[in-house]
Amino acid sequence: MVDEFAVIKAQKILQNWKASSRQIYSILSLGVNEKELEERSRLILQIDQALKIMFNNPENINGFMKMPNKHHLFDGSEPLDFIEREGIVGLKMTLKLVLGIASN
């Protein structure tokens, strides 16, 4: 059984990040199996928590994922576009990067 709270929370976070409806559907892959949906939701929650460690204001917390980023992982694209394009692997890579930045 899917953790509906985590999925709803992940959708809200994506909305806060200014993801389009298409991006939300794509990033969460709402048509996939429950296990993957839960993993994607969990990764989004973890990215959001790391952003809250990095930044102390909602504008930066929510704006980071829509801001073009020069880090080689994103190559000038927005992190939201990257995770939409790369799927679950992109979510994992983004989490790893954000956790690394937040721990410094």
Side-chain angles (χ1 to χ4, degrees), residues 11-51:
Q11 288 175 322
K12 179 68 174 156
I13 289 168
L14 289 167
Q15 289 171 346
N16 289 342
W17 291 348
K18 307 295 186 243
S20 68
S21 296
R22 178 188 52 80
Q23 285 177 312
I24 293 170
Y25 186 87
S26 176
I27 292 167
L28 286 176
S29 286
L30 293 174
V32 299
N33 66 51
E34 291 178 358
K35 183 178 178 184
E36 185 170 335
L37 177 58
E38 282 188 11
E39 184 175 10
R40 287 171 178 263
S41 298
R42 181 183 50 78
L43 290 164
I44 291 164
L45 294 168
Q46 290 175 310
I47 292 169
D48 191 59
Q49 285 299 327
L51 291 172

Side-chain angles (χ1 to χ4, degrees), residues 34 36 52 64 85 87 93 97:
E34 291 178 358
E36 185 170 335
K52 288 176 180 174
F64 178 86
R85 183 176 60 250
M93 293 171 73
L97 173 70

